[in-house]
Every structure is written in C-alpha cells, then in structure tokens.
Amino acid sequence: MDIHVMEKQLKALADVNRLTLLALMKNGEVCVCQFVNVLPISQPAVSQHLRKLREAGIITERKAGNWKHFRLAEGLSPVVETVIDGLDAIPVCPNGGDMRC
C-alpha cells in the first residue's frame, strides 16, 4: 500500500467522531440524517467528518433523492479493517429517530 494513502487513512481514523461514524456503519448503510441524530455535533461537522472518511477511501456514498447514504468501502486495507473490527457496532434506529436503538 502507498505510504501516503496509509497516512491519510490513519489520520482519518484518529478522531472519536469518525470512529463513531464507522461503528454506526458496521451493520450496513446509514442515511446522513441518522448520523446527525446520533452524534452530539452539528450537521456541517458530521458532513466534514464523512468527507474525510470518504476522501481516505474508507467509506462510499450513494445519493437517494435528497439524502446521501454511507457505507464501509470494499477492499479496505488490513490496518483499517483491524481498527473497524475493534469497534463495537452501534445500532441505528431505522426510522432516523433521535436516539440510538
């Protein structure tokens, strides 16, 4: 793996909010509205964290109407896989509620 890609991925993983986002995605695709309802940060801050994870190649996005849905990328490096495997999955309310299920 390219050392610069590895650096970008490790920097992206070095934040509690981004790790929380990854834990939320462990069970599958998540709508951006659900992240906003779970994390105690603003919607623009959530978007910036998602952007950093996407630019590092750790997550992918899919647009559906007005919403974006995010999931873990395929073929992640063993280092990134190990970090994600070490996270406890956080369930997300399927209806986008304001609390974790």
Side-chain angles (χ1 to χ4, degrees), residues 9-62:
Q9 289 181 341
L10 290 173
K11 283 182 178 181
L13 294 172
D15 181 271
V16 68
N17 289 311
R18 290 192 286 273
L19 290 172
T20 302
L21 291 170
L22 294 172
L24 287 161
M25 287 182 264
K26 278 190 79 164
N27 291 326
E29 189 174 81
V30 180
C31 177
V32 70
C33 64
Q34 293 168 307
F35 294 131
V36 172
N37 290 329
V38 172
L39 290 172
I41 58 177
S42 69
Q43 183 276 324
V46 169
S47 294
Q48 288 301 312
H49 287 298
L50 290 167
R51 180 185 58 81
K52 288 184 184 205
L53 290 169
R54 191 182 71 247
E55 288 176 352
I58 298 171
I59 64 171
T60 61
E61 71 178 77
R62 175 182 66 85

